[in-house]
Amino acid sequence: MKHLLRGLLVFHFSFFTFHYSNAQFTHADTLRGTNGPGRDWWDVLSYNVNVEFNLEDSTISGYNNIEFRVLKNKGYIQIDLQSPLMIDSVQHSFPSSVNKPGMTKIYGTAMYYKGDIKNDGNAYFINIGTHKPKTTEYLTIYYHGKPRIAIHPPWDGGLIWKRDKNNNPWISVACQGLGASAWYPCKDYQGDEPDKGASFTTTLPDSLTVVSNGRLIGKRSREGITTTTWEVKNPINSYNLVPYIGKYVHFGETYKGLKGNLDMDYWVLDYNLEKAKEHFKDAKRMMKAFEYWFGPYPFYEDGYKLIDAPHLGMEHQSGIAYGNAYLNGYHGQDLSNSGWGLKWDFIIIHESGHEWFGNNITTKDIADMWVHESFTNYSETLFTEYYYGKEAANTYVQGTRANIENKNPIISSYGVNKESETTDMYYKGANMIHTIRQIINNDSLFRKILTGMNKTFYHKTVTTKEIENYISKQSKINFSKVFDQYLRNIEIPILEYKIDGYKLQYRWTNCVKGFNMPLKINFKTSQWIKPTETWKTLKSYPEGDPNFAVDKNFYINTKKVE
């Protein structure tokens, strides 16, 4: 989630998106967005990030120990780290050639310094020699510098150095889109998550509390200084691994979920404790609704957390960033203009929905981010339906259509780290899903498809085609033209129609070639039609309402032709 409220979007886009609209893609874009020759031969198994934060001058220093599996024999490895941060040295550990079956493994090491490390913009290349496929090796990358500071997080991204209202340090990171390499060295490619998870360690004055993803596994204090380690057991997007540093206090509860007891923990600034205890009741309501619609919460091993953040909010896995000022809606506003969006806290519901779509199911390329954002936007509708009924849910999702822009296709360019240039991957994508639900015309099957997706693609990275094909296969309906129309095209299909007495003629226009989406209408009676680009005729009996109308749950336009 990086841009949602129409009235607040101008700032976001001027900083993050619209400046790309007329730009040509660069060599740096390709290095960042492609699984290229410095990346495709190795698979990340784990990250162990250790960072020191200098509160006086906003610099950081530390290292990332990367465990990886060799897939094929290549020499140069690409590590991403964004300027002005810089790599100081790299230690490579690899299985020794003297290893024999049954022996304790012996590892050799090699050190690489600045003269051995070639950088190409924000990508660093190290020739670490030949490798034997299927072996496990390690890189420890030491680095330092003053990272990019986020001016208006989470939209522009970077390190967040703030003070709370009592003037205490309050530090975090927001880097979706910008990339995790803005604050630690990594394989900054969304298609490769650390299979075994990750850990984060830092040392700070013991007057501050450190919270991160997963669970607290270590805390050592000495002479007013505390070293804290958090660990995630599950695969995690690199941009989701973040620290929260501040004057935090904790409370929590246990949710009896589909996979047993789930720890739900809440870390808030000390002065927010009492209002958080009341306001965060939406979290348990969310969990109940989303386990119904999507299946078990995907990260029972790591727990669920809501954490006060010095920005609006973000879907950081098992550690959701919360900054919605303890208001219902989106900072007190209803994005659907229906009234239903003020019944619950938008950030708690939306960002938590990403645990299923975005964190559990992750796209390999950010051009396919509709899989994250469209389904999560639609999760708001499903939450509304679970607690307030289907009519309320329909009103909610229909109300969000006012935010649709139809300026650029939802799916963007591949291989260059570029997501859609509009908010349509939220609202338009959600309305596409709602339309598909109407065509399936079986809510039990629709729910089965949602839960099945989260089971089939559990902890996996995917392409849009995998998701599209899954929905078509499970529903036994070919939705390929529907996906092409709404994801790859900016035009909204128009149903042209003529009425001549008891005869209705109709066809699709303003659509992709071969568009044949069925439609539920009212003409004399409620019924289905199957328009194509060629005129069709429906003859009806005199009885019934002669007025023509399309079911409002379909996101289309109509045009009466005389």
Side-chain angles (χ1 to χ4, degrees):
M1 189 284 289
K2 296 200 302 286
H3 44 275
L4 290 167
L5 180 58
R6 193 176 183 82
L8 296 179
L9 291 178
V10 175
F11 184 95
H12 160 62
F13 281 130
S14 66
F15 271 79
F16 188 81
T17 302
F18 282 171
H19 66 280
Y20 285 122
S21 58
N22 295 316
Q24 297 296 315
F25 297 120
T26 65
H27 172 63
D29 294 328
T30 300
L31 286 176
R32 177 74 170 79
T34 303
N35 191 28
R39 289 172 165 170
D40 64 359
W41 62 268
W42 59 291
D43 172 42
V44 179
L45 297 179
S46 69
Y47 289 139
N48 294 283
V49 180
N50 192 311
V51 181
E52 303 297 318
F53 296 84
N54 190 319
L55 304 181
E56 301 300 321
D57 62 9
S58 302
T59 60
I60 64 175
S61 62
Y63 61 86
N64 183 12
N65 181 262
I66 303 175
E67 180 185 7
F68 66 95
R69 179 188 296 110
V70 177
L71 303 178
K72 53 186 176 181
N73 192 358
K74 283 194 179 179
Y76 280 90
I77 191 167
Q78 177 181 335
I79 299 296
D80 304 293
L81 185 66
Q82 295 181 33
S83 176
L85 295 174
M86 61 186 71
I87 292 177
D88 299 313
S89 62
V90 175
Q91 177 177 299
H92 176 211
S93 300
F94 49 90
S96 170
S97 59
V98 302
N99 284 325
K100 303 289 184 184
M103 290 177 55
T104 300
K105 275 192 177 178
I106 300 173
Y107 279 82
T109 60
M111 288 296 299
Y112 302 90
Y113 299 95
K114 289 184 178 180
D116 309 308
I117 303 169
K118 311 299 181 185
N119 77 295
D120 188 347
N122 293 326
Y124 289 77
F125 294 88
I126 310 111
N127 186 354
I128 59 174
T130 59
H131 315 269
K132 185 178 180 181
K134 298 183 180 180
T135 60
T136 298
E137 303 185 8
Y138 301 85
L139 283 182
T140 304
I141 304 157
Y142 298 89
Y143 73 108
H144 78 283
K146 190 168 186 174
R148 167 177 168 154
I149 305 300
I151 304 300
H152 190 70
W155 297 288
D156 61 332
L159 265 288
I160 305 165
W161 303 83
K162 285 192 175 181
R163 299 245 168 201
D164 66 19
K165 73 177 187 180
N166 292 333
N167 204 37
N168 296 305
W170 196 12
I171 302 163
S172 193
V173 175
C175 58
Q176 184 185 12
L178 175 64
S181 56
W183 75 283
Y184 70 89
C186 60
K187 185 180 186 177
D188 208 350
Y189 168 64
Q190 194 163 279
D192 191 3
E193 299 179 346
D195 301 334
K196 298 180 181 180
S199 68
F200 168 73
T201 300
T202 193
T203 300
L204 285 163
D206 58 15
S207 59
L208 298 173
T209 298
V210 178
V211 187
S212 189
N213 315 77
R215 298 185 184 275
L216 180 66
I217 63 166
K219 192 171 184 180
R220 305 184 310 275
S221 297
R222 183 180 179 184
E223 298 178 354
I225 300 295
T226 298
T227 299
T228 305
T229 300
W230 289 79
E231 181 183 58
V232 175
K233 294 288 189 182
N234 291 293
I236 184 170
N237 305 337
S238 58
Y239 71 78
N240 268 334
L241 182 64
V242 299
Y244 301 86
I245 300 166
K247 297 284 283 188
Y248 286 106
V249 293
H250 167 264
F251 69 101
E253 59 186 330
T254 300
Y255 175 73
K256 295 186 181 302
L258 294 180
K259 290 178 68 175
N261 290 338
L262 172 65
D263 293 329
M264 299 185 70
D265 293 292
Y266 311 109
W267 293 85
V268 299
L269 296 181
D270 47 10
Y271 50 78
N272 287 333
L273 179 60
E274 292 309 313
K275 58 184 173 183
K277 286 181 177 179
E278 179 63 29
H279 195 77
F280 282 4
K281 289 179 180 178
D282 264 354
K284 204 168 184 177
R285 296 175 73 220
M286 170 279 302
M287 195 63 67
K288 184 177 181 181
F290 287 172
E291 286 210 325
Y292 171 82
W293 283 111
F294 306 141
Y297 175 70
F299 310 108
Y300 269 73
E301 301 86 350
D302 296 321
Y304 169 89
K305 290 188 292 299
L306 271 179
I307 307 167
D308 263 347
H311 60 85
L312 179 64
M314 188 60 70
E315 63 265 25
H316 300 145
Q317 184 175 309
S318 72
I320 302 297
Y322 178 81
N324 201 36
Y326 295 89
L327 297 170
N328 277 356
Y330 181 102
H331 255 271
Q333 300 184 55
D334 180 5
L335 297 185
S336 73
N337 298 305
S338 68
W340 294 107
L342 294 177
K343 300 288 186 182
W344 35 269
D345 187 305
F346 178 91
I347 293 299
I348 294 176
I349 305 309
H350 179 92
E351 301 307 337
S352 298
H354 276 302
E355 295 282 47
W356 286 264
F357 294 98
N359 299 346
N360 184 37
I361 303 173
T362 307
T363 59
K364 294 180 184 297
D365 194 302
I366 70 171
D368 288 336
M369 286 288 282
W370 77 271
V371 176
H372 297 205
E373 300 298 353
S374 299
F375 282 101
T376 300
N377 189 273
Y378 195 61
S379 76
E380 303 156 23
T381 297
L382 296 174
F383 177 87
T384 301
E385 180 172 336
Y386 189 85
Y387 287 103
Y388 307 105
K390 182 173 279 191
E391 184 177 345
N394 291 343
T395 302
Y396 181 86
V397 70
Q398 291 167 22
T400 65
R401 293 174 188 170
N403 302 321
I404 298 174
E405 297 178 319
N406 287 318
K407 290 181 179 179
N408 296 283
I410 289 176
I411 292 179
S412 188
S413 301
Y414 289 101
V416 287
N417 195 53
K418 186 172 188 291
E419 63 184 37
S420 175
E421 292 187 346
T422 75
T423 58
D424 286 356
M425 63 178 171
Y426 297 86
Y427 310 111
K428 183 179 178 181
N431 274 278
M432 177 192 72
I433 294 168
H434 192 61
T435 297
I436 287 172
R437 179 183 181 183
Q438 310 314 307
I439 298 167
I440 292 173
N441 198 29
N442 181 332
D443 281 352
S444 294
L445 176 58
F446 178 70
R447 178 183 165 215
K448 185 178 179 181
I449 289 171
L450 295 177
T451 58
M453 285 172 58
N454 277 281
K455 184 177 181 180
T456 300
F457 303 110
Y458 182 75
H459 293 177
K460 290 183 179 179
T461 58
V462 302
T463 65
T464 183
K465 280 298 184 183
E466 289 180 281
I467 298 301
E468 293 174 36
N469 292 342
Y470 182 86
I471 294 172
S472 291
K473 181 179 179 181
Q474 297 301 315
S475 65
K476 295 182 172 61
I477 300 171
N478 185 351
F479 283 109
S480 60
K481 294 300 179 181
V482 175
F483 289 121
D484 286 346
Q485 181 70 42
Y486 291 98
L487 297 178
R488 301 175 177 89
N489 181 47
I490 64 171
E491 307 297 336
I492 298 306
I494 296 174
L495 183 80
E496 290 189 345
Y497 68 97
K498 305 175 186 179
I499 298 177
D500 181 10
Y502 310 135
K503 185 171 65 175
L504 172 70
Q505 292 180 283
Y506 54 87
R507 70 173 181 181
W508 285 121
T509 63
N510 207 43
C511 58
V512 298
K513 186 176 181 179
F515 189 67
N516 58 354
M517 186 175 81
L519 200 59
K520 189 176 183 181
I521 65 165
N522 190 79
F523 180 67
K524 302 294 185 176
T525 186
S526 177
Q527 57 187 305
W528 287 85
I529 59 175
K530 297 181 178 179
T532 64
E533 295 167 273
T534 303
W535 284 105
K536 288 187 174 183
T537 301
L538 173 68
K539 293 182 180 179
S540 188
Y541 293 101
E543 295 82 7
D545 186 354
N547 295 310
F548 173 81
V550 172
D551 188 322
K552 291 181 180 179
N553 290 303
F554 290 81
Y555 178 48
I556 67 159
N557 291 324
T558 60
K559 179 181 179 182
K560 187 175 182 179
V561 179
E562 301 297 338

